[in-house]
Structure formats: structure tokens, C-alpha cells
Amino acid sequence: MELTFYLAAAVAIIATILVVTQYNLIHALLYLVVSFMAIAVVFFTLGAPFMAALEIIIYAGAIVVLIIFVIMMLNLTHEDVQHEKEWLKPSVWIGPAVLSLILLAELAYIFMASETSAVATQPVEAKAVGMALFGPYILGVELSGMLLMAGIVGAYHLGRQKKKIVHRFLERTEA
Amino acid sequence: MNTIPMEQGLLLAGILFIIGLISVLIRRNIIFMLISVEIMLNAAGLAFIVAGARWIQPEGQVMFIFIITMAAAEVSVGLALILQLYHNLKTLDSDAANVMNG
């Protein structure tokens, strides 16, 4: 079980680094699917099989496919990949990367300094999650419903292409 | 037998979060920034799952469900905004959107 965890963790880290370093959006999204699946395996080894299924269905299924559809609507060409290459120079990324890695090293040091405590053996059943979700956390479920509704309305409102009607005398000539 | 130390799970979440943070700092393509935010949200959910598995409580998974819900709503609104940006400015450069022209 530990071997599965460490292998999946390594796959997740490598795939995520590849997502970050890609120039082509579609390639990055395919690596993102691999990363999400590896994290789903990590969830499974940590005793959360229902969350592993949700991770694959919602993240790797719904969200990534949504982003791919939007990329298809944008009609990106090879020039955009070239733009991406120009934007991602070492002088751009080296500063934030070094500073963030210092923070990560501090975090790792804190984790390694404390005494280790093993993750429990038995999994948390989906039934217990459902009982907690619709028991003490029912308010959160209702708020999530409102959030999703606001998301739907907001996405519809923002995504609508408004037809601009300008009187021909008021039209500005393009400079 | 399952003997994964909790610190290593949290360390994995931290590494994934930092990768997403670096990406959101260095990228100028706005879709890449959205993807990086997804990576960071996913890492935060992983930390909740690890903590829930450590104390055998369902609360960690409950929080993960809330995070997934928020990520789905966020990505739908974000993609609608990206479509509008591309429609108006004909570019995905986030620096191009520094002027609010009504």
C-alpha cells in the first residue's frame, strides 16, 4: 500500500511539473488528466475511495473537458505556442520559482522536524461522509447549491455575446 | 498494512500547491493561470483528505466535496470571462486586460 502511495505521488508530481512547463495548452491539459488520476490513486490509498471516484468524474471528466471545449472555441494556432515560448523566459520564472521553493523547503523542514504519525488503516466509508454531509453540514450543502446556481447564472450572463447596435452617425472611425 | 506517515501526504499536497503557485506567478496566458488555480485547489483538497484519513473522521471528505463544488463553479465563471476577454481583446495575454473600457 505504501509503494502504491509513493508511486502515485511521484507520478502526480512529475505530471504536474510537466503541466506547468508545457507550451501547448492541449498537451498541458492531457498531463493534467494524468495528474488528477494519480491524485485519485493517492485518495484511494488514503482510504477515501468515493473521493477518488469524484476526483476522476468531476476534475478529470468535467472540468478538463470544459477547458478543452473553450480552447477549441478560441481557435488557437501555432503562433500562440510561439507567444507562450517568448513569454516563458528564464528571467521571468527564476525569481518566483526560487522564492516559492524556499517556502516549500521551510514547509518540508517543519514536517520532517515533527514526530511522524501514521495514517489510519481503515477507510472512511462513503456512508459516514453522507451522514456528516446531510447532518451537521446541511447548511454547507445549501450554500453550495446557491454557489452553483450563481455560477450557472454568472457563466450564462458573462458568456453571452452581446450584439452591439451603434447608430451609423455615432460610429467612431478606427484610427 | 497501511503505514503512510501523515507528514508525507501533507508534503505531497504542499509540493503540488507550490508548483501551482509558481505557475500562476510566472504565466501570462490566462488559461494557464486558471489551470494552475485548479492545481492549487486540488492540492488543498488533498490536504483535507490526508487529515481526514489521519483521524478517521468524515469531515475531511466533506470539505473536499465543498472544494470540488467551488472549483466547478469557479472554472465555469472563469472560462466565461476568458471567452469575453478573447472576444474583446483577441489575445490571451492577461497583461492586455489592464484597461477597463466599460
Side-chain angles (χ1 to χ4, degrees):
Chain A
M1 215 57 166
E2 303 104 83
L3 186 65
T4 320
F5 173 80
Y6 290 122
L7 273 179
V11 170
I13 291 171
I14 291 169
T16 312
I17 289 174
L18 284 172
V19 170
V20 168
T21 51
Q22 287 296 312
Y23 298 119
N24 194 327
L25 260 170
I26 296 289
H27 297 174
L29 280 169
L30 293 180
Y31 279 120
L32 191 69
V33 171
V34 175
S35 160
F36 284 152
M37 284 182 172
I39 292 172
V41 173
V42 170
F43 285 170
F44 194 80
T45 58
L46 288 173
F50 184 52
M51 293 306 122
L54 272 188
E55 170 94 11
I56 289 180
I57 292 171
I58 296 183
Y59 267 114
I63 290 179
V64 173
V65 169
L66 199 61
I67 298 176
I68 285 177
F69 270 130
V70 167
I71 291 170
M72 284 160 68
M73 285 168 74
L74 292 183
N75 263 335
L76 298 180
T77 55
H78 199 68
E79 291 171 19
D80 295 282
V81 180
Q82 293 299 324
H83 270 295
E84 197 64 35
K85 250 177 205 168
E86 288 167 20
W87 287 343
L88 208 63
K89 286 177 303 214
S91 61
V92 173
W93 59 258
I94 205 126
V98 167
L99 292 178
S100 306
L101 287 176
I102 289 171
L103 284 181
L104 178 66
E106 285 180 349
L107 191 72
Y109 174 73
I110 291 169
F111 282 146
M112 291 308 144
S114 61
E115 72 269 27
T116 56
S117 50
V119 167
T121 317
Q122 68 263 46
V124 179
E125 297 287 330
K127 186 184 173 188
V129 178
M131 295 299 280
L133 200 58
F134 289 95
Y137 293 101
I138 186 69
L139 191 66
V141 175
E142 289 172 1
L143 286 174
S144 311
M146 285 185 202
L147 180 72
L148 283 177
M149 189 70 211
I152 291 171
V153 174
Y156 172 72
H157 179 74
L158 291 171
R160 203 173 30 166
Q161 308 275 349
K162 293 184 197 82
K163 202 178 273 181
K164 281 182 188 159
I165 301 171
V166 182
H167 195 275
R168 62 179 187 277
F169 293 131
L170 296 177
E171 260 180 0
R172 263 184 239 156
T173 51
E174 292 292 323
Chain B
M1 192 58 198
N2 195 350
T3 54
I4 305 159
M6 181 184 70
E7 282 76 18
Q8 309 217 329
L10 289 178
L11 195 60
L12 173 65
I15 290 171
L16 292 177
F17 190 88
I18 290 288
I19 293 173
L21 179 66
I22 292 173
S23 178
V24 89
L25 289 174
I26 66 176
R27 287 281 181 177
R28 285 174 71 185
N29 189 328
I30 200 160
I31 294 183
F32 268 111
M33 291 168 81
L34 191 73
I35 292 172
S36 316
V37 171
E38 293 302 315
I39 293 172
M40 288 164 70
L41 282 174
N42 199 29
L46 176 62
F48 272 110
I49 295 274
V50 172
R54 164 69 179 76
W55 283 283
I56 325 177
Q57 296 293 319
E59 270 79 7
Q61 303 191 19
V62 169
M63 288 303 152
F64 183 72
I65 290 181
F66 289 155
I67 287 176
I68 251 185
T69 313
M70 198 204 62
E74 177 247 342
V75 80
S76 63
V77 175
L79 284 173
L81 280 171
I82 287 173
L83 278 180
Q84 281 296 326
L85 182 90
Y86 191 78
H87 189 235
N88 287 328
L89 301 177
K90 302 282 178 259
T91 178
L92 286 175
D93 188 359
S94 59
D95 289 357
N98 56 359
V99 182
M100 294 179 79
N101 282 327

